[in-house]
Amino acid sequence: MDTIVVGIDFSKTSLAAMGLASDVAVRAEADLLIVWVETVEKDRCEAEAELKRMCSDLASKMTPGNKVSYRIVSGRKVYTALNSVVKQEQADLLVIGSHGNSGFDEKFAGANTYKTITISSAPVLSVRENFNFDKPLERLVMPIDSTRDTRQKVPWTIEFAKMFPNTTIHVLGIHTTKNKTVRGEVEGYVGSVERLLDKEKMDYVTDYVDAENTTLSTIEYAEKINADLIVIMTEQEKTLSNIFLGPYAQQMINQSPIPVLAVSVKQINGESR
């Protein structure tokens, strides 16, 4: 990772996102760029003074050779403005708060966060204010379903796991049907993930769940093991819950109290770059 962008609106949630983004930047030895999308609710001079203070506070924590900087951008839509910066910088990761002011307000039910994820040219790590950031990311949940691209999140999961010592990856096979062929596909994908993790010498455990709703079952499992991060693909198995509750990634962002790293196939294949 070379560059991490964090979107900030000065809410407690976005400050929590910045805290996690700075931690990841230090561990990945990456540059950190703090971006504020200008709004009428906050005075520009006041915002710039706060941004300068944030950069000054974080500078001493950064790895030698890596920098922390800020940028103020304009745009009617926060998610479009953020993605423009991500593209310009060819950033490797975008970190945002999933609630807050000016673009990430809870009344939008995660819609803006979801839009940020779907158009971003880099994977998006979304966090909530009330998550406990006093401990490192030690338990990462990686749900595996029957979709062809479900395993493409594995390299990103490994990268995060390597940044945090004593990390265990929890491979969660998701069965959404009794169909033996489909269940066999899930188990085959899980097996290939296990072989890759063995090759990378990663610590992991494997579990399976039967799920009517992939999102709720993943969150329930993550809460049971006190997980620190859930890694998902934005493209996921089509189930009835997708029809009634909206796209999988949007469900996860709306409901997960645990940070979510969302990766899309287009990001991996470079189509958004």
Side-chain angles (χ1 to χ4, degrees):
M1 245 185 267
D2 295 318
T3 304
I4 295 172
V5 171
V6 56
I8 191 165
D9 58 14
F10 302 102
S11 66
K12 290 182 179 179
T13 306
S14 69
L15 293 177
M18 188 179 70
L20 183 55
S22 62
D23 188 18
V24 173
V26 170
R27 293 173 185 272
E29 298 185 358
D31 292 337
L32 178 64
L33 176 60
I34 304 171
V35 178
W36 175 56
V37 181
E38 191 172 6
T39 64
V40 296
E41 288 83 10
K42 192 169 185 66
D43 177 75
R44 182 187 174 98
C45 292
E46 179 185 342
E48 188 159 20
E50 291 187 41
L51 289 166
K52 287 180 178 178
R53 185 166 58 251
M54 289 175 186
C55 289
S56 177
D57 291 342
L58 290 172
S60 62
K61 302 176 183 178
M62 298 297 289
T63 306
N66 293 106
K67 63 181 180 179
V68 56
S69 57
Y70 72 87
R71 185 176 303 175
I72 297 174
V73 296
S74 300
R76 292 180 59 190
K77 297 177 179 179
V78 173
Y79 47 88
T80 302
L82 280 176
N83 188 50
S84 293
V85 175
V86 169
K87 278 190 170 183
Q88 290 167 10
E89 296 296 321
Q90 294 188 320
D92 301 289
L93 179 69
L94 171 62
V95 185
I96 57 174
S98 56
H99 295 302
N101 300 321
S102 63
F104 303 128
D105 198 291
E106 187 168 8
K107 69 183 179 182
F108 292 106
N112 283 282
T113 308
Y114 174 63
K115 289 176 183 176
T116 303
I117 288 170
T118 56
I119 72 169
S120 176
S121 59
V124 179
L125 175 57
S126 63
V127 301
R128 289 194 180 185
E129 173 192 346
N130 58 355
F131 186 74
N132 175 21
F133 292 98
D134 293 331
K135 69 187 190 73
L137 304 183
E138 293 181 331
R139 298 182 183 90
L140 313 186
V141 176
M142 183 168 51
I144 302 294
D145 64 13
S146 63
T147 51
R148 184 183 62 181
D149 298 314
T150 189
R151 295 166 293 176
Q152 294 200 39
K153 66 174 87 64
V154 178
W156 270 95
T157 307
I158 290 174
E159 183 163 353
F160 264 76
K162 286 182 176 179
M163 280 191 278
F164 295 86
N166 305 315
T167 295
T168 299
I169 296 173
H170 291 255
V171 183
L172 183 63
I174 305 284
H175 288 311
T176 58
T177 177
K178 298 296 183 182
N179 183 287
K180 291 184 178 179
T181 300
V182 177
R183 293 173 77 91
E185 288 177 350
V186 173
E187 290 161 14
Y189 289 155
V190 168
S192 67
V193 169
E194 290 175 328
R195 289 189 290 274
L196 180 56
L197 295 177
D198 284 332
K199 181 180 178 181
E200 294 290 331
K201 296 181 171 56
M202 305 302 298
D203 290 329
Y204 69 91
V205 296
T206 300
D207 289 303
Y208 287 91
V209 294
D210 287 292
E212 292 184 5
N213 182 296
T214 301
T215 304
L216 295 181
S217 294
T218 301
I219 293 173
E220 182 180 337
Y221 175 83
E223 290 183 314
K224 183 175 69 174
I225 67 165
N226 193 26
D228 304 299
L229 180 69
I230 300 173
V231 186
I232 67 169
M233 298 296 295
T234 55
E235 298 81 2
Q236 199 79 9
E237 201 173 67
K238 297 292 188 298
T239 64
L240 286 176
S241 64
N242 295 125
I243 298 172
F244 293 114
L245 299 177
Y248 169 76
Q250 186 168 3
Q251 291 181 54
M252 186 65 74
I253 295 302
N254 287 352
Q255 299 181 53
S256 175
I258 297 162
V260 176
L261 176 63
V263 184
S264 78
V265 174
K266 66 181 182 180
Q267 292 158 357
I268 293 172
N269 294 338
E271 295 170 15
S272 291
R273 296 282 178 168

